[in-house]
């Protein structure tokens, strides 16, 4: 009986470690192209294994996509570990982004019990021509 309890506890622990945020979006778009808002919002869904799994913290990172079209090492913004249950419509709070550029972002979260998720996939989006000065 003790071995069965340990096996169940181990499987549950492994499932918590494997959590990854899924369905990340910007302004509710999977493939955000031509974002012209200076204040845009991120959303993601938790991969909860139990109804009681609640997000306690999140962290978002954002950077420029390299010339090869892959996420580069140049991070522009890191939210740090933010205490919040919010996973919908989280406002971008980094520096102003450049018009007509492609960026990547990713997110991870911590559950109330302290379990940390893996990073989401690195999602790309592009900015549009923001403001009248970008058109000249």
């Amino acid at each position: 009986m003790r071995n069965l309890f340990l096996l169940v506890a181990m499987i549950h622990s492994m499932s918590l470690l494997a959590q990854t945020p899924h369905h990340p979006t910007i302004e509710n778009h999977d493939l955000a192209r031509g974002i012209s808002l200076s204040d845009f919002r991120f959303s993601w869904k938790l991969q909860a294994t139990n109804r009681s799994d609640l997000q306690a913290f999140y962290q978002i990172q954002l950077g420029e996509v390299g010339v090869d079209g892959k996420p580069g090492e140049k991070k522009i913004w890191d939210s740090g570990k933010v205490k919040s249950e919010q996973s919908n419509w989280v406002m971008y709070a980094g520096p102003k982004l450049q018009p007509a550029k492609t960026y990547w972002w990713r997110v991870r979260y911590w559950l109330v019990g302290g379990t940390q998720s893996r990073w989401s996939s690195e999602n790309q989006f592009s900015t549009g021509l923001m403001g009248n000065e970008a058109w000249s």
Side-chain angles (χ1 to χ4, degrees), residues 128-136:
L129 298 176
M130 299 181 279
N132 292 335
E133 64 277 359
W135 289 91
S136 41

Side-chain angles (χ1 to χ4, degrees), residues 23-35:
H23 197 70
T25 62
I26 292 182
E27 293 297 317
N28 249 3
H29 296 285
D30 295 325
L31 299 170
R33 300 287 181 247
I35 294 290

